[in-house]
Amino acid sequence: MLSNIIFYSLDRAIRSYRRMAQANIDRAGVNITIDQWLVLRVLLEHDDLTQNEIAESVFKDQASVARILALLTQRGLLSAVPLPHDGRRTQLRVTEEGHRILDAVQPIVNDNRKTALAGISEDELAQLRGLLERITQNCHSPV
Amino acid sequence: MLSNIIFYSLDRAIRSYRRMAQANIDRAGVNITIDQWLVLRVLLEHDDLTQNEIAESVFKDQASVARILALLTQRGLLSAVPLPHDGRRTQLRVTEEGHRILDAVQPIVNDNRKTALAGISEDELAQLRGLLERITQNCHSPV
DNA sequence: AGAAAGACTATGATATGTCATTGAAGTTGC
DNA sequence: GCAACTTCAATGACATATCATAGTCTTTCT
């Protein structure tokens, strides 16, 4: 049975969460994806990261980040100001509209987390986190 | 910090695993994706499922399954024989080549699992599974 | 300075995820 | 036996994941 396979359970958990999270954002009438939200949120605190740094911090590919940034900019949630000291890069600033969306989404995200983790204690959460970290570590070690 | 967010840890764990798993399959010279492998494996045991049934069993969308089936058929790993009693459907049989690939991939998948779960006890695994199931359940309940 | 090496962004190609819809085929109710 | 409903597969549209590479800009080395 697939349900015995831990990675199937993992996949199911994260996908269930993503579906619920996105559905709740959509229902609130906010037009953003959770991945875009995640990137935008990182940029709120660090506006001078390279795409690779952003990618590392949200555990995505540089190519994915590039496309997400393009969409965020195109939708006016982000502004890209050329950096004087490096012609390849830009400073990525969250716009007014971007702030509005971040503000609108934050409570939804909090609710989502509460819903998803209902009935799970702090101890269990810590254990879960620890196990996930170990799996991540194991998968990174070069064979 | 993002590392405090459980869903970020979840996402990271599953993506790390997927990257490692796919890299190991590629390194072995087998030309298949893990998602295609998963679907093919299900069809090995049940060749008369509808796309929706397959989708449910591998926790994917019907649209995703349709495309994966098209690719598997196109690559000759799967044959689609029309079902006499229902003109909309076909019987999906794993071909010789499909069997060869399944046989080649199985030991790699076993190794991957072993690598990913190194140092994690049966008890911990059971707990992990339980927590993931609870999260999945929580996310499914209608708000 | 000039060349080689490295960093950075953008983009092509392919696969998948998700929602929505279409069109075909089966089922039910009358 | 026909109309309404349901099931099923295919596909369009868009977003993301991944790998690879191109093109630009910077740094380093000599």
Side-chain angles (χ1 to χ4, degrees), chain A residues 1-20 24 27 35 37-38 41-42 45-46 55-61 112-121 124-125 127-129 131-141 143, chain B residues 1-20 24 27 35 37-38 41-42 45-46 55-61 112-121 124-125 127-129 131-141 143:
Chain A
M1 278 304 100
L2 284 179
S3 51
N4 291 331
I5 301 175
I6 201 68
F7 300 103
Y8 180 71
S9 301
L10 257 175
D11 210 45
R12 230 155 58 110
I14 191 66
R15 282 223 288 266
S16 298
Y17 175 71
R18 289 176 77 94
R19 283 180 195 172
M20 177 197 69
N24 286 340
R27 187 175 323 147
D35 294 299
W37 172 81
L38 187 60
R41 198 161 176 306
V42 165
E45 297 174 20
H46 311 280
E56 194 182 354
S57 88
V58 298
F59 205 71
K60 290 181 184 302
D61 197 79
N112 290 341
R113 287 180 189 148
K114 219 170 293 178
T115 301
L117 301 178
I120 298 180
S121 72
E124 287 174 316
L125 214 56
Q127 240 211 322
L128 178 54
R129 203 191 325 275
L131 288 167
L132 293 175
E133 289 302 325
R134 272 200 268 166
I135 291 176
T136 302
Q137 286 303 315
N138 285 342
C139 292
H140 279 329
S141 38
V143 184
Chain B
M1 279 302 103
L2 283 180
S3 51
N4 291 333
I5 302 175
I6 201 68
F7 301 102
Y8 180 71
S9 301
L10 255 176
D11 210 45
R12 233 156 56 111
I14 191 66
R15 282 224 287 267
S16 298
Y17 175 71
R18 290 176 77 94
R19 283 179 196 174
M20 178 196 69
N24 286 340
R27 188 175 320 147
D35 293 300
W37 172 80
L38 187 61
R41 196 160 176 306
V42 165
E45 298 174 21
H46 310 279
E56 194 182 352
S57 88
V58 298
F59 205 71
K60 290 181 184 300
D61 196 81
N112 289 341
R113 287 181 189 149
K114 219 170 293 177
T115 301
L117 301 178
I120 297 180
S121 72
E124 287 174 318
L125 214 55
Q127 240 210 322
L128 178 54
R129 203 192 325 274
L131 288 167
L132 293 175
E133 289 302 323
R134 271 201 269 167
I135 291 176
T136 302
Q137 285 303 316
N138 285 342
C139 291
H140 279 329
S141 39
V143 183

Side-chain angles (χ1 to χ4, degrees), chain B residues 26-95:
Chain B
D26 293 348
R27 188 175 320 147
V30 183
N31 183 26
I32 195 172
T33 68
I34 43 181
D35 293 300
Q36 289 167 12
W37 172 80
L38 187 61
V39 170
L40 194 57
R41 196 160 176 306
V42 165
L43 292 173
L44 188 59
E45 298 174 21
H46 310 279
D47 60 359
D48 58 346
L49 300 177
T50 67
Q51 290 187 0
N52 270 310
E53 288 167 338
I54 297 171
E56 194 182 352
S57 88
V58 298
F59 205 71
K60 290 181 184 300
D61 196 81
Q62 177 261 328
S64 302
V65 170
R67 275 148 187 154
I68 289 175
L69 291 178
L71 282 174
L72 286 172
T73 305
Q74 180 183 315
R75 290 183 184 178
L77 310 188
L78 207 58
S79 75
V81 184
L83 278 173
H85 62 80
D86 191 333
R88 297 165 299 183
R89 303 179 42 199
T90 57
Q91 186 177 32
L92 298 165
R93 282 193 301 215
V94 179
T95 64

Side-chain angles (χ1 to χ4, degrees), chain A residues 90-118:
Chain A
T90 57
Q91 186 177 31
L92 298 165
R93 281 193 301 216
V94 179
T95 64
E96 287 296 316
E97 176 66 8
H99 278 95
R100 247 198 308 282
I101 292 212
L102 281 176
D103 288 347
V105 172
Q106 191 60 55
I108 302 174
V109 168
N110 294 343
D111 275 358
N112 290 341
R113 287 180 189 148
K114 219 170 293 178
T115 301
L117 301 178

